[in-house]
Amino acid sequence: MPLPLLHVAMPRSLRARLLIGAGLWLAVAMAGSWLALTALFRSHLQQQVEATLATHLDQLLANLDFPADGPPTVRPLSDPRFTKPFSGLYWQIDQPGEPLRSRSLWDVALPLPQDEPGDGELHRHQVIGPRDRPLLVVERIVEPPAGEPLRVAVAADRAELDRPAEQFGRALAASLAVIAAGILTAALAQVTLGLRPLGRLGAALARLRRGAAERIEGTWPTEVQPLVDDFNAVLAHDAAVVARARTQAGNLAHALKTPLSVLRNRMQTADPALRSAVLEDIEAMRRHVDHHLARARAAARTVGGSRTPARARLSSLGRVATLAHPDRAVSVTVQADDALLAPIEVQDFDEIAGNLLDNAVKWAGGAIRASAESRDGDFVLTIEDDGPGLPAAARDRVFARGERLDEQTPGSGLGLAIVRDVVELYGGNVALDADALGGLRVTVRLPDAG
């Protein structure tokens, strides 16, 4: 039965993934280096300690005397630790009867293992000595001029080995930590520099989305340049397709509008009943042509769409709306910065603001306020009037295509539907609520105002 795969959640950030990967491998490398170097240092240190013990052993053998009329004797050795009780440095000579011991052993004997080294051969052991301390032991069998062989041993406390090894391990760990921190810092800098072109690419795409550029410009690394070139080629191809689609939509609209106008004119002399029915159908067809032409124009905008001066267009559209309804005594006040640009093509801006102003003129009591501003990175257009307003329950209904809440007021019922369609194609939204003037306030929000 196959084992289930272990799924590890990885962060979505490339920088985090690269740094986590580098950190893991660095941790493994540093840990492996610490283990290897401390083991190497301990091995070297143990060799040094054993070499020192071998030197003491040679000196002990050199100071060993064999009197003709008595047991062997040992002259004092040069290292004073041999005379200090439990100093950590000891010697012992096993012989028939009582063994000879250094004063440092006091009355404790070294528990040498029961092996039989060859004559002159150096053996190494680890035993437990006085006060239950671990010892390193080197020993040798020597043949005296007369009598039984002697087993000569020198021992040292393992603290002579362990203490320097622990100090070295701590110092090495601190050094490796500093090195790891430096390498991680360098890796962070390298990853940041390496991924910087992706950040620039993201900023370039944001400029395209805002309409501040029509293609990705600049010099890019060789690994990124093919992607930029392909993306620019796609943009150019899409722009050409959009231009053709827009031209075809315009041609279709005009091709339909002309026969409709001729048919409408001819129907002026027809039978009144027939004329009324056909003119109503012609008007419905004309409205649908206008509506779908507006949608095609908005949907076919290029990635780097153009920008529209908000104040100038609002002023012009306000004048047109009031002239279109000479029977309405309404004034339009425009509030917008002269430098403010709407992130939308001028035809689509006119479609949105023109429909909203026309609707406001129909219902206003006498005052309309059109304002535009940049708020929280978005372009916000607000049309307010002092008319009767609109009940909250009816605000969603007015966006339905062909929906008219008052059949006595002229209109096709497509204006607000067109407004919402065009706004949503630009990624924005439309909201209706009551305003300070007492009537209806329509708020249009479009993303990425410049």
Side-chain angles (χ1 to χ4, degrees), residues 2 28 99 157 180 188 201 223 242 273 331 388 409:
V28 171
D157 195 322
L188 175 61
L201 183 59
E223 294 81 4
V242 164
S331 63
T409 305

Side-chain angles (χ1 to χ4, degrees), residues 176-339:
L176 291 177
V178 172
I179 294 174
I183 294 176
L184 279 178
T185 302
L188 175 61
Q190 183 177 9
V191 168
T192 301
L193 291 176
L195 295 180
R196 183 170 293 176
L198 296 183
R200 290 174 48 213
L201 183 59
L205 292 175
R207 288 194 296 272
L208 283 174
R209 187 174 62 252
R210 293 195 306 267
E214 295 183 356
R215 64 192 310 272
I216 300 177
E217 304 288 352
T219 303
W220 302 89
T222 54
E223 294 81 4
V224 180
Q225 189 64 53
L227 175 63
V228 173
D229 293 340
D230 290 344
F231 194 82
N232 283 334
V234 171
L235 289 178
H237 176 266
D238 287 349
V241 171
V242 164
R244 288 195 299 270
R246 178 173 294 178
T247 300
Q248 292 171 0
N251 292 341
L252 176 61
H254 287 294
L256 289 174
K257 279 187 173 183
T258 300
L260 288 175
S261 298
V262 173
L263 182 59
R264 189 173 187 277
N265 292 334
R266 288 180 176 177
M267 289 305 300
Q268 297 296 332
T269 60
D271 178 74
L274 177 62
R275 181 174 67 243
S276 177
V278 174
L279 286 178
E280 184 177 347
D281 292 338
I282 292 173
E283 183 63 21
M285 294 170 64
R286 185 187 63 80
R287 291 197 304 266
H288 283 290
V289 168
D290 291 342
H291 169 67
H292 289 290
L293 180 60
R295 283 184 58 88
R297 190 167 59 241
R301 70 186 188 278
T302 60
V303 174
S306 61
R307 293 182 173 271
T308 300
R311 182 180 180 83
R313 294 309 303 157
L314 285 175
S315 299
S316 176
L317 293 170
R319 289 192 297 270
V320 171
T322 55
L323 291 175
H325 301 276
D327 57 320
R328 304 286 296 162
V330 176
S331 63
V332 179
T333 302
V334 176
Q335 297 177 350
D337 193 296
D338 289 336

Side-chain angles (χ1 to χ4, degrees), residues 69 83 238 249 254 286 310 313 338 353 394 404 415 422 429 440 442 444:
D69 56 350
T83 62
D238 287 349
H254 287 294
R286 185 187 63 80
R313 294 309 303 157
D338 289 336
R404 297 176 60 194
V422 175
N429 60 77
L440 181 67
V442 183
V444 174

Side-chain angles (χ1 to χ4, degrees), residues 264-440:
R264 189 173 187 277
N265 292 334
R266 288 180 176 177
M267 289 305 300
Q268 297 296 332
T269 60
D271 178 74
L274 177 62
R275 181 174 67 243
S276 177
V278 174
L279 286 178
E280 184 177 347
D281 292 338
I282 292 173
E283 183 63 21
M285 294 170 64
R286 185 187 63 80
R287 291 197 304 266
H288 283 290
V289 168
D290 291 342
H291 169 67
H292 289 290
L293 180 60
R295 283 184 58 88
R297 190 167 59 241
R301 70 186 188 278
T302 60
V303 174
S306 61
R307 293 182 173 271
T308 300
R311 182 180 180 83
R313 294 309 303 157
L314 285 175
S315 299
S316 176
L317 293 170
R319 289 192 297 270
V320 171
T322 55
L323 291 175
H325 301 276
D327 57 320
R328 304 286 296 162
V330 176
S331 63
V332 179
T333 302
V334 176
Q335 297 177 350
D337 193 296
D338 289 336
L340 180 63
L341 298 178
I344 185 173
E345 294 187 359
V346 62
Q347 300 95 332
D348 297 329
F349 184 88
D350 290 353
E351 197 76 51
I352 295 171
N355 274 296
L356 294 178
L357 287 170
D358 183 75
N359 189 71
V361 169
K362 293 176 184 178
W363 294 98
I368 297 173
R369 183 167 58 211
S371 60
E373 61 178 329
S374 177
R375 185 190 307 164
D376 299 328
D378 292 341
F379 174 84
V380 179
L381 170 66
T382 306
I383 307 295
E384 304 168 280
D385 64 68
D386 61 350
L390 190 64
R395 289 171 187 167
D396 289 336
R397 291 172 50 200
V398 297
F399 287 113
R401 185 174 299 116
E403 181 70 28
R404 297 176 60 194
L405 300 184
D406 187 350
E407 296 293 338
Q408 303 302 317
T409 305
S412 63
L414 290 173
L416 289 178
I418 293 175
V419 167
R420 186 176 64 176
D421 289 344
V422 175
V423 169
E424 288 180 350
L425 286 171
Y426 278 91
N429 60 77
V430 184
L432 304 180
D433 59 6
D435 74 330
L437 297 178
L440 181 67

Side-chain angles (χ1 to χ4, degrees), residues 38-70:
T38 52
L40 184 63
F41 179 79
R42 182 177 287 273
S43 174
H44 174 73
L45 191 60
Q46 182 166 339
Q47 292 175 5
Q48 292 296 106
V49 171
E50 290 177 352
T52 301
L53 291 177
T55 300
H56 287 309
L57 181 62
D58 291 340
Q59 186 183 20
L60 176 62
L61 293 175
N63 287 10
L64 182 61
D65 294 329
F66 298 95
D69 56 350

